Amino acid sequence: MSVARAAVLAQFCQPLEIRTYPVPGEPEAGGALVRVEMAGICGTDVHLWLGQLSIPLPVILGHETVGRIERLGAGLAHDWRGTPLAPGDRVTWASSIVCGECYYCRVKRQPTRCVSRKAYGISYCADQPPHLRGGYADHILLRPGTAIFRLPDSLPTEAVVGAGCGLTTAIHGLERAPVIWGDVVVIQGAGPVGMAALALARHSGAAKIILIGGPKHRLDMALEFGADAVVSVDNEKDMLERRKLVLELTGSYGADVVVECVGHPSAVPEGMELCRDGGTFLVLGQYANAGDVPFNPHTITRKQLHVAGSWGFEPRHVDRAIRLLEGTAWKERFARQITHRFPLEQAGQALETMQQWRAGKTVLVP
Amino acid sequence: MSVARAAVLAQFCQPLEIRTYPVPGEPEAGGALVRVEMAGICGTDVHLWLGQLSIPLPVILGHETVGRIERLGAGLAHDWRGTPLAPGDRVTWASSIVCGECYYCRVKRQPTRCVSRKAYGISYCADQPPHLRGGYADHILLRPGTAIFRLPDSLPTEAVVGAGCGLTTAIHGLERAPVIWGDVVVIQGAGPVGMAALALARHSGAAKIILIGGPKHRLDMALEFGADAVVSVDNEKDMLERRKLVLELTGSYGADVVVECVGHPSAVPEGMELCRDGGTFLVLGQYANAGDVPFNPHTITRKQLHVAGSWGFEPRHVDRAIRLLEGTAWKERFARQITHRFPLEQAGQALETMQQWRAGKTVLVP
Amino acid sequence: MSVARAAVLAQFCQPLEIRTYPVPGEPEAGGALVRVEMAGICGTDVHLWLGQLSIPLPVILGHETVGRIERLGAGLAHDWRGTPLAPGDRVTWASSIVCGECYYCRVKRQPTRCVSRKAYGISYCADQPPHLRGGYADHILLRPGTAIFRLPDSLPTEAVVGAGCGLTTAIHGLERAPVIWGDVVVIQGAGPVGMAALALARHSGAAKIILIGGPKHRLDMALEFGADAVVSVDNEKDMLERRKLVLELTGSYGADVVVECVGHPSAVPEGMELCRDGGTFLVLGQYANAGDVPFNPHTITRKQLHVAGSWGFEPRHVDRAIRLLEGTAWKERFARQITHRFPLEQAGQALETMQQWRAGKTVLVP
Amino acid sequence: MSVARAAVLAQFCQPLEIRTYPVPGEPEAGGALVRVEMAGICGTDVHLWLGQLSIPLPVILGHETVGRIERLGAGLAHDWRGTPLAPGDRVTWASSIVCGECYYCRVKRQPTRCVSRKAYGISYCADQPPHLRGGYADHILLRPGTAIFRLPDSLPTEAVVGAGCGLTTAIHGLERAPVIWGDVVVIQGAGPVGMAALALARHSGAAKIILIGGPKHRLDMALEFGADAVVSVDNEKDMLERRKLVLELTGSYGADVVVECVGHPSAVPEGMELCRDGGTFLVLGQYANAGDVPFNPHTITRKQLHVAGSWGFEPRHVDRAIRLLEGTAWKERFARQITHRFPLEQAGQALETMQQWRAGKTVLVP
């Protein structure tokens, strides 16, 4: 029996450990054994590493992954779109699996809130067979029911991992709070979700996009992605000053749509103030529970805002992401986001690079 | 020249004063002189009286009014719906006038956010001619451009004033955050807006409506209005206890739609916790700026909520309100809300009755 | 091995035949054996009998069925809502099963257009094992993946079959073309779909509902269901005359929403003319391909209509139907629709009764 | 008193006549005297010339016009957006004026269906003072209430007239039937409305756009506008053949959104067949009543289509059109549509050029 190597988070805030796990000769029926080509380091991984979210330990991190199928389990013959699958195919997959049967899956059609949802790289204890349920590894075992997508040859692995779960998260979010052509848009945050939201707003015909964030190398990337203006949180440390700049750039009214992709609670009351009356505010970045913030709800009534939240994404958002990348020049832009590559052994260093905001996008190449 | 008597708010927190103003022989072109039959005491009037909102003084309060036309200004021949108008007609009117020309009126179609919006009983200094711009008076002078509605004979004055601006406010709000038949609904607040939201949810086919509020006489009225269950804030003083009750009543998930009609900032974070994931939260009651509340924005993202605000109402909402009252048994229920009637001289006493939550609906009969 | 008796359509336009089929001792894994308590005769069954739709023969008709579980296949322990299932439970089920994997199921979320959709009582050849896939029988075998609903004791079988697929069809249709409280609605057609659309429009707070149809006994039922006015197609044989009546009843403008539940192609151009400009027209009755009708598309542009079609229904619409019936007085009204009951042997007579429009709702009690 | 020259349609199908009309020294209050710089020849003008629409004669045609203000009537100081107006300013304007008071303007908010709507170049008899109500003239008199837009210097007159009412019509239409990023779109028709719909679909991020039309020079223009594929109606004369091509280009399913911009009734049943199930069909081109077409309504039900109509446009659509042109490279593309220029005296020749589809866009330069 062969073995696979994985970078394992065994203790919060400690260096990842390289461990080995047995690779079954035959994946379970409906599953697949995939050799990892590239695994993205997501900002969430840093939160997980620091113990800011509740997960089982040890865990093999990694939920943004591209690999090649090594072996297909019995009965698995097609990808999510119905395309035939064969060993050697390059694939990616939706990071979560839902039950399809609960109140949220069935009655209310909110599958991202499935009561049994589990995500690769997050929800699976690496001590339990079959162990290999995360992307920070040279091999991963996909469960039956995973939404697998065969990648077209024209679409580089770098584009898919460079876009990562930021793009699918933004696709879901902007489905709930759409940008219409001609809209004036503010993006709060220059991380992967913010960049993806910027790309989608641009692609949807926004008239003007203002991105608020930092550090400078990410604001430069935002300009490359098509932002009309950027506001540096390093230069404008005061919320009122940032608001003044945004109002000046929006004819004094504020934006039609504001997309929060920051994660700090304070970005939410700030973002509401950047909306025009009757505008839309998408709270897309508050993934971790970072506690309370003082907030004046009078703003929602008086400005008659529409505020939307969005959690994770569904397989159909991965489908849309791949189609977007495949069919447009966005694939090159997202691929260029990848500035740092590490081997599996340096996964911890990769996390630190990410944590310190030094990188565009950091990836593992196992 | 005849004179009109009005109850005037000259100083915040002080008793109203009865003053007299000249009545012009002829209203201005497009305007109308109306003899007041009944004027509602709105909860907002109490806030105004207490100086919690910024208004010019002195002011003749009163923005929920029914009267009879005494004289029509030149050129005013039809009401908002195109129905001919004549002296003697019983009418009500939209309390606000907008400019129809600004960015919010024209480009963004958010006329309730018109930059020049003025409301009877709120925005007009009684010292300035023609003085009579509020309902706490025996006569009122309507401006050109007022959306006047001739009332059908079958519709009692008590129903129109009993529903008051609570109904039109709720109509606007639920247009932005609709209740669909079969929805499970929570209403926070048992004041006039809450009762109107309850009526509309019932009328829209809600499957279950839970109203949270007090005091007891208003919860009894909520049951008469068709609430399936009421939760008393007097009995259940703890937000967590109220939440537990609501979850028990909603199969543990929370409501499809929660409508906040309370006004205290703390109702907003509480209300979000009463929504099911993917549900809708309408922030309808935060009319006054009552300051900050601690709030965890993670809730919006994780529960992927839709949150909506709504400010005031437009003439077309008054049109819908009148049609609803005229065509259904709701007219009797709203008329029965009126439990206290005062003459003009006792307008201050009427405000106190309202302030102390002793009444269903309090009105002036000048 | 026991046997089941079924009324079989072996040749179009010929009397149904009673045939017997073997009943397996054990249903397949995930499936169920159900003893039929009551099977509705749907208008579609008449079309099928007359050979107007393409189906395999022989077929056991019957897609509106309530029965009791006799035996559960391995692994089937809960209904669609997660309620435990046991032999003896009274159940109904969604008549169709979809693949969940095709372009329409997955990418476009139009599962009623699943390329592999199969319906009980329509799509299964009775010659092929396990034969028992229709409701006109004393037993039916449900496939794995069937959306089964355990019925609450408070909900009579007559209500569920009386509402039948007309209600679920109308629920889906009005989801795509909603009636909002205060709307003026025209329903074309007094069959089961029309009656269900009427019920839903009433339940959603429509201000006025006008039903056009016949014969007289069905118009009387429409009035019992809450129609404000009925227009008899027997008395008003001219489309222009019917239009004149509708315009008189709608202030000369036409209805906000018109719901076509007739099935004759000519109802579609007529229905468009009954909409106000900017109104909504739901084409809900054109299930059979009945050929072309002359039609002027200028009407759609000039009146800037919204026209919607809707095909079949999903399990969640059955869920909503059961909740509606269970929670309201509609269950009594729908149960009273059942005017004719026949034993299995008289299934052909039941079809004739339906064909001749003599009945409210006709059912088999095997 | 000076005089203005106009090209007048005095008899259907006859050459236009040059007539002169007096120019008032002072425009009426709220109105304006504008010297025409450029007037577009719209396809509707050809229909009007041929007597296919009911209009008063004689008429000065021309509803797509850019000019310079010569004199402002009393009280007219700002354009629709609130920008100050002065003689010499280059402006365009919405071609229609609505009453703002009728059932459609007020209650149902469908102002394009205003019962009193009047359009420059269409609805005004040139015999009646002040005569100058059409764009085929050296001067035009704008009525009070006209939605005037001051043009930014960066926006060439050619772009505004080149886009013409095709762009505003398409903006309104696609507001009612939106194209979302990633959609597969079919445009039927290569006239100005079709080209504008193509531009908007492209600008909104459509994944693939197929335009069906002709003649060849317009298909070439469609490719310049960004169509991914064109289907020539000259080469593919058979509807079934065109459908086959579209299905091949859309993975066999048809388009997410089909936009009819043809005007022949037969395009409507064809267009429905080009939609995928659950898709959207916008009937945007059926402006003239060109009679009936055989049509099978079963298609709407079975494919559960959304079909939308759209009539004319509102001032806010002109506002969006100008912003789009001003802010993007579309201004150059639309300006390049203008291939033929004629002086006022050759207005008839301009109409013939348009009628024979020889031109991109034809304009008058008076």
Side-chain angles (χ1 to χ4, degrees):
Chain A
M1 179 187 273
S2 64
V3 295
R5 294 162 58 257
V8 177
L9 172 60
Q11 277 190 279
F12 296 127
C13 305
Q14 297 301 311
L16 302 194
E17 302 171 13
I18 300 294
R19 296 186 180 178
T20 57
Y21 297 97
V23 174
E26 179 77 15
E28 67 183 309
L33 174 67
V34 173
R35 181 168 52 77
V36 174
E37 287 210 338
M38 186 178 286
I41 310 287
C42 172
T44 298
D45 293 344
V46 177
H47 290 293
L48 295 169
W49 177 41
L50 299 176
Q52 294 168 347
L53 292 164
S54 168
I55 52 168
L57 290 186
V59 71
I60 304 171
L61 294 174
H63 57 271
E64 304 175 324
T65 320
V66 168
R68 283 198 188 267
I69 290 176
E70 291 212 340
R71 285 194 290 277
L72 290 166
L76 181 57
H78 297 90
D79 79 352
W80 189 81
R81 293 164 168 177
T83 309
L85 281 180
D89 285 347
R90 197 167 46 110
V91 294
T92 191
W93 51 90
S95 52
S96 293
I97 297 183
V98 300
C99 73
E101 300 187 353
C102 71
Y103 173 79
Y104 282 122
C105 281
R106 279 190 169 155
V107 180
K108 295 301 173 185
R109 295 197 298 175
Q110 307 285 322
T112 58
R113 301 303 301 148
C114 168
V115 298
S116 310
R117 191 164 168 264
K118 295 191 80 171
Y120 291 108
I122 298 175
S123 320
Y124 300 91
C125 177
D127 283 349
Q128 291 174 1
H131 314 291
L132 297 166
R133 298 290 201 212
Y136 289 17
D138 55 25
H139 284 78
I140 186 168
L141 279 161
L142 300 183
R143 289 174 54 190
T146 300
I148 301 174
F149 294 83
R150 187 187 188 287
L151 294 176
D153 293 343
S154 63
L155 181 55
T157 292
E158 284 79 2
V160 177
V161 179
C165 72
L167 180 56
T168 45
T169 298
I171 288 174
H172 183 202
L174 286 164
E175 184 181 87
R176 290 174 178 265
V179 167
I180 304 298
W181 75 265
D183 277 350
V184 173
V185 178
V186 166
I187 312 280
Q188 300 175 281
V193 177
M195 297 303 287
L198 163 54
L200 291 171
R202 188 85 290 161
H203 195 65
S204 303
K208 180 180 283 189
I209 306 176
I210 305 157
L211 186 137
I212 304 173
K216 186 176 179 309
H217 71 90
R218 295 206 66 94
L219 296 184
D220 291 342
M221 191 177 287
L223 291 168
E224 277 179 46
F225 264 60
D228 296 288
V230 293
V231 174
S232 163
V233 292
D234 298 318
N235 296 345
E236 315 298 340
K237 293 188 192 304
D238 182 349
M239 180 188 297
L240 292 175
E241 188 58 33
R242 293 194 292 266
R243 180 164 178 252
K244 187 166 159 253
L245 284 171
V246 167
L247 293 183
E248 282 170 13
L249 288 163
T250 59
S252 84
Y253 294 108
D256 296 302
V257 182
V258 175
V259 186
E260 182 277 323
C261 313
V262 174
H264 296 301
S266 65
V268 171
E270 176 171 352
M272 285 191 192
E273 293 297 332
L274 304 179
C275 290
R276 69 161 171 86
D277 290 9
T280 295
F281 182 43
L282 175 60
V283 185
L284 192 54
Q286 303 291 318
Y287 269 80
N289 183 340
D292 285 355
V293 64
F295 161 74
N296 190 331
H298 173 57
T299 306
I300 298 178
T301 300
R302 190 191 74 245
K303 298 184 76 161
Q304 47 189 23
L305 298 177
H306 280 97
V307 182
S310 179
W311 184 257
F313 49 88
E314 305 171 27
R316 64 197 174 82
H317 301 118
V318 182
D319 178 63
R320 293 188 77 190
I322 294 172
R323 287 183 205 276
L324 175 70
L325 294 170
E326 182 186 1
T328 69
W330 291 107
K331 66 172 151 302
E332 285 86 29
R333 295 192 198 109
F334 278 109
R336 279 199 301 270
Q337 280 206 298
I338 298 178
T339 55
H340 290 63
R341 291 159 189 254
F342 294 91
L344 201 53
E345 290 71 17
Q346 299 177 16
Q349 199 170 329
L351 281 170
E352 280 170 34
T353 305
M354 189 70 192
Q355 182 188 16
Q356 295 159 18
W357 282 88
R358 287 181 306 207
K361 178 91 185 180
T362 301
V363 300
L364 297 181
V365 185
Chain B
M1 181 186 271
S2 63
V3 295
R5 295 160 58 255
V8 177
L9 172 60
Q11 277 190 279
F12 295 126
C13 305
Q14 296 303 310
L16 302 195
E17 302 170 14
I18 299 296
R19 296 186 182 178
T20 58
Y21 297 96
V23 175
E26 178 78 13
E28 66 183 313
L33 174 67
V34 173
R35 182 169 51 78
V36 174
E37 287 208 339
M38 186 177 284
I41 310 287
C42 172
T44 298
D45 293 344
V46 177
H47 289 292
L48 295 169
W49 177 40
L50 299 176
Q52 294 169 347
L53 293 164
S54 168
I55 52 167
L57 291 187
V59 71
I60 305 172
L61 295 174
H63 58 272
E64 304 176 324
T65 320
V66 167
R68 282 196 190 268
I69 290 176
E70 290 212 341
R71 285 195 289 278
L72 291 165
L76 181 56
H78 298 91
D79 79 351
W80 189 83
R81 293 163 168 178
T83 309
L85 281 180
D89 284 349
R90 198 167 46 110
V91 295
T92 192
W93 51 90
S95 52
S96 293
I97 298 182
V98 300
C99 73
E101 300 187 353
C102 71
Y103 174 77
Y104 283 122
C105 281
R106 279 191 170 155
V107 180
K108 295 300 173 184
R109 295 198 298 175
Q110 308 283 323
T112 58
R113 300 303 301 149
C114 169
V115 298
S116 309
R117 190 165 169 262
K118 295 192 79 172
Y120 291 109
I122 298 175
S123 319
Y124 300 91
C125 176
D127 283 349
Q128 291 174 0
H131 313 292
L132 297 167
R133 298 290 200 211
Y136 290 16
D138 54 27
H139 284 78
I140 185 168
L141 279 161
L142 300 183
R143 287 174 54 190
T146 301
I148 302 174
F149 294 82
R150 188 189 186 286
L151 296 175
D153 292 342
S154 63
L155 181 55
T157 292
E158 284 79 3
V160 177
V161 179
C165 72
L167 179 56
T168 45
T169 297
I171 289 173
H172 184 202
L174 286 164
E175 183 181 87
R176 289 174 178 265
V179 167
I180 303 298
W181 75 265
D183 277 350
V184 174
V185 178
V186 166
I187 312 280
Q188 300 175 281
V193 177
M195 297 303 288
L198 163 55
L200 291 171
R202 187 85 291 162
H203 195 65
S204 302
K208 181 181 282 189
I209 306 175
I210 304 158
L211 186 138
I212 305 174
K216 185 176 180 309
H217 71 92
R218 295 206 66 94
L219 297 183
D220 291 343
M221 191 176 287
L223 292 168
E224 277 178 47
F225 264 60
D228 296 288
V230 292
V231 174
S232 163
V233 292
D234 298 317
N235 296 346
E236 315 298 340
K237 292 187 192 304
D238 182 349
M239 181 188 299
L240 292 174
E241 187 59 33
R242 294 193 291 266
R243 179 163 178 253
K244 187 167 159 250
L245 284 171
V246 167
L247 292 183
E248 282 170 14
L249 287 163
T250 59
S252 84
Y253 293 109
D256 296 302
V257 182
V258 175
V259 187
E260 182 276 323
C261 312
V262 173
H264 296 299
S266 64
V268 171
E270 175 171 351
M272 285 190 191
E273 293 297 332
L274 305 179
C275 290
R276 68 162 171 87
D277 290 9
T280 296
F281 182 43
L282 175 60
V283 184
L284 193 53
Q286 304 290 318
Y287 269 80
N289 183 339
D292 284 355
V293 64
F295 161 74
N296 190 332
H298 173 57
T299 307
I300 298 178
T301 300
R302 190 192 74 245
K303 298 185 76 161
Q304 48 190 24
L305 297 178
H306 279 98
V307 182
S310 179
W311 185 256
F313 49 88
E314 305 171 26
R316 62 196 175 83
H317 301 117
V318 182
D319 177 64
R320 293 188 78 190
I322 295 172
R323 287 183 204 276
L324 175 69
L325 294 170
E326 182 185 0
T328 69
W330 290 108
K331 65 172 150 301
E332 285 87 28
R333 295 193 198 108
F334 278 109
R336 279 199 300 270
Q337 281 206 297
I338 299 178
T339 54
H340 291 64
R341 290 159 189 255
F342 294 90
L344 199 54
E345 290 71 18
Q346 298 177 17
Q349 200 172 328
L351 281 170
E352 283 171 32
T353 306
M354 189 70 192
Q355 183 188 14
Q356 294 160 19
W357 282 87
R358 287 180 307 209
K361 179 91 185 181
T362 301
V363 300
L364 296 182
V365 185
Chain C
M1 180 188 273
S2 63
V3 295
R5 295 160 58 256
V8 177
L9 172 59
Q11 277 191 281
F12 296 128
C13 304
Q14 297 301 312
L16 302 194
E17 301 171 14
I18 299 295
R19 296 185 181 179
T20 58
Y21 296 97
V23 174
E26 178 78 15
E28 65 184 309
L33 173 68
V34 172
R35 180 168 52 77
V36 174
E37 287 209 338
M38 187 178 286
I41 310 287
C42 172
T44 297
D45 293 345
V46 176
H47 289 294
L48 295 169
W49 176 40
L50 298 176
Q52 294 168 349
L53 293 163
S54 168
I55 51 168
L57 290 187
V59 71
I60 304 172
L61 295 174
H63 57 272
E64 304 176 324
T65 320
V66 167
R68 282 197 189 267
I69 290 176
E70 291 213 340
R71 286 195 288 278
L72 290 166
L76 180 57
H78 297 90
D79 79 351
W80 188 83
R81 293 164 168 175
T83 309
L85 281 180
D89 284 348
R90 196 167 46 110
V91 294
T92 192
W93 51 90
S95 52
S96 293
I97 298 182
V98 301
C99 74
E101 301 186 353
C102 71
Y103 173 78
Y104 283 122
C105 281
R106 277 188 171 158
V107 180
K108 295 301 172 183
R109 295 199 297 178
Q110 308 284 321
T112 58
R113 301 302 303 149
C114 168
V115 298
S116 310
R117 190 165 169 262
K118 295 191 81 171
Y120 291 109
I122 298 175
S123 318
Y124 299 91
C125 176
D127 282 350
Q128 291 173 1
H131 314 292
L132 296 167
R133 296 292 200 211
Y136 291 15
D138 53 27
H139 284 78
I140 185 168
L141 280 160
L142 300 183
R143 289 173 54 190
T146 301
I148 301 174
F149 294 83
R150 189 187 187 287
L151 295 175
D153 292 343
S154 63
L155 181 54
T157 292
E158 284 79 2
V160 177
V161 180
C165 71
L167 179 56
T168 45
T169 297
I171 288 173
H172 183 202
L174 286 163
E175 184 180 86
R176 289 174 179 265
V179 167
I180 303 298
W181 76 264
D183 277 349
V184 173
V185 178
V186 166
I187 312 281
Q188 299 175 281
V193 177
M195 298 303 289
L198 164 54
L200 291 172
R202 186 86 291 160
H203 195 65
S204 303
K208 181 181 282 189
I209 307 176
I210 304 159
L211 185 138
I212 305 174
K216 185 176 180 310
H217 72 90
R218 295 205 66 94
L219 297 185
D220 291 343
M221 191 175 286
L223 291 169
E224 278 178 47
F225 264 61
D228 296 288
V230 293
V231 174
S232 163
V233 292
D234 298 317
N235 295 346
E236 314 300 340
K237 293 187 191 305
D238 183 350
M239 178 188 298
L240 292 174
E241 186 60 31
R242 293 194 292 266
R243 180 165 178 250
K244 189 168 157 252
L245 285 171
V246 167
L247 293 183
E248 283 170 13
L249 288 163
T250 58
S252 85
Y253 294 108
D256 295 303
V257 182
V258 175
V259 187
E260 183 277 323
C261 311
V262 173
H264 296 300
S266 65
V268 171
E270 176 172 349
M272 286 191 191
E273 294 296 333
L274 304 179
C275 290
R276 69 162 170 86
D277 291 9
T280 296
F281 182 44
L282 175 60
V283 185
L284 193 54
Q286 304 290 319
Y287 269 80
N289 182 340
D292 284 355
V293 64
F295 161 74
N296 191 331
H298 173 57
T299 305
I300 297 178
T301 300
R302 191 190 74 244
K303 298 184 75 162
Q304 48 190 21
L305 297 178
H306 280 97
V307 182
S310 180
W311 185 255
F313 49 88
E314 304 171 29
R316 63 196 174 85
H317 301 117
V318 182
D319 178 63
R320 293 188 77 191
I322 294 171
R323 287 184 204 276
L324 174 69
L325 294 170
E326 184 184 0
T328 69
W330 290 108
K331 65 172 152 301
E332 284 87 29
R333 294 193 199 109
F334 278 110
R336 279 200 299 272
Q337 280 206 298
I338 298 179
T339 54
H340 292 64
R341 291 161 188 252
F342 293 91
L344 200 55
E345 290 72 17
Q346 297 175 17
Q349 201 171 326
L351 280 170
E352 282 171 33
T353 305
M354 189 70 191
Q355 183 188 16
Q356 294 160 19
W357 283 87
R358 286 180 306 207
K361 179 90 184 181
T362 300
V363 300
L364 296 182
V365 185
Chain D
M1 180 187 272
S2 62
V3 295
R5 294 161 58 256
V8 177
L9 171 60
Q11 276 189 279
F12 295 128
C13 305
Q14 296 301 312
L16 302 194
E17 301 170 14
I18 300 295
R19 296 186 182 179
T20 57
Y21 297 98
V23 174
E26 179 77 16
E28 65 183 312
L33 174 67
V34 173
R35 181 167 53 75
V36 174
E37 288 209 338
M38 187 178 285
I41 310 286
C42 172
T44 298
D45 292 345
V46 177
H47 290 294
L48 294 169
W49 177 40
L50 299 176
Q52 293 169 348
L53 292 164
S54 169
I55 52 167
L57 290 187
V59 70
I60 304 172
L61 295 175
H63 59 271
E64 305 176 323
T65 319
V66 167
R68 282 197 189 267
I69 290 176
E70 291 212 341
R71 286 195 288 278
L72 290 166
L76 180 57
H78 298 89
D79 79 352
W80 188 83
R81 294 164 167 177
T83 309
L85 282 179
D89 285 349
R90 198 168 45 111
V91 295
T92 192
W93 51 90
S95 53
S96 293
I97 298 182
V98 300
C99 74
E101 301 187 352
C102 71
Y103 173 79
Y104 283 122
C105 281
R106 278 188 171 158
V107 181
K108 295 300 173 183
R109 295 198 296 177
Q110 307 285 321
T112 59
R113 301 302 302 149
C114 168
V115 297
S116 310
R117 189 164 169 262
K118 295 192 80 171
Y120 292 108
I122 299 175
S123 318
Y124 300 91
C125 176
D127 283 349
Q128 292 174 0
H131 313 292
L132 295 167
R133 298 292 201 211
Y136 290 17
D138 54 26
H139 283 79
I140 185 167
L141 280 161
L142 300 183
R143 289 174 53 190
T146 300
I148 301 174
F149 294 82
R150 188 187 187 288
L151 295 175
D153 292 343
S154 63
L155 181 55
T157 293
E158 285 78 2
V160 177
V161 179
C165 72
L167 179 55
T168 45
T169 297
I171 289 174
H172 183 201
L174 287 163
E175 184 181 86
R176 290 174 178 265
V179 167
I180 303 298
W181 76 264
D183 277 350
V184 173
V185 177
V186 166
I187 312 281
Q188 299 174 281
V193 177
M195 298 302 289
L198 163 55
L200 290 171
R202 187 86 290 160
H203 195 65
S204 303
K208 181 180 283 190
I209 306 176
I210 305 158
L211 185 138
I212 306 173
K216 184 174 182 310
H217 71 91
R218 295 206 65 95
L219 297 184
D220 291 342
M221 191 176 286
L223 292 168
E224 278 178 47
F225 264 61
D228 296 287
V230 292
V231 175
S232 163
V233 292
D234 298 318
N235 295 347
E236 315 300 340
K237 293 187 192 305
D238 182 351
M239 178 188 299
L240 292 174
E241 188 58 32
R242 294 194 292 266
R243 178 163 179 252
K244 188 168 158 249
L245 284 171
V246 168
L247 293 183
E248 283 171 13
L249 288 163
T250 59
S252 85
Y253 294 109
D256 295 303
V257 181
V258 176
V259 186
E260 183 276 323
C261 311
V262 174
H264 296 300
S266 64
V268 172
E270 176 171 350
M272 286 191 191
E273 294 297 332
L274 304 179
C275 290
R276 68 162 171 85
D277 291 9
T280 295
F281 182 43
L282 174 60
V283 185
L284 193 54
Q286 303 290 318
Y287 269 80
N289 182 340
D292 286 355
V293 64
F295 161 74
N296 190 332
H298 174 56
T299 306
I300 298 177
T301 300
R302 188 190 75 245
K303 297 183 76 161
Q304 49 191 23
L305 298 177
H306 278 98
V307 182
S310 179
W311 185 256
F313 50 87
E314 305 171 27
R316 64 197 173 84
H317 301 116
V318 182
D319 177 64
R320 294 187 77 190
I322 294 171
R323 286 184 205 275
L324 174 69
L325 294 171
E326 183 184 0
T328 69
W330 290 107
K331 65 172 152 301
E332 286 87 29
R333 294 192 200 111
F334 278 109
R336 280 200 298 271
Q337 280 206 299
I338 298 179
T339 54
H340 290 64
R341 291 160 189 253
F342 295 91
L344 200 55
E345 290 71 18
Q346 297 177 17
Q349 200 172 327
L351 281 169
E352 280 170 35
T353 305
M354 189 70 190
Q355 183 189 15
Q356 294 160 19
W357 282 87
R358 285 179 309 208
K361 178 92 185 180
T362 301
V363 300
L364 296 181
V365 184

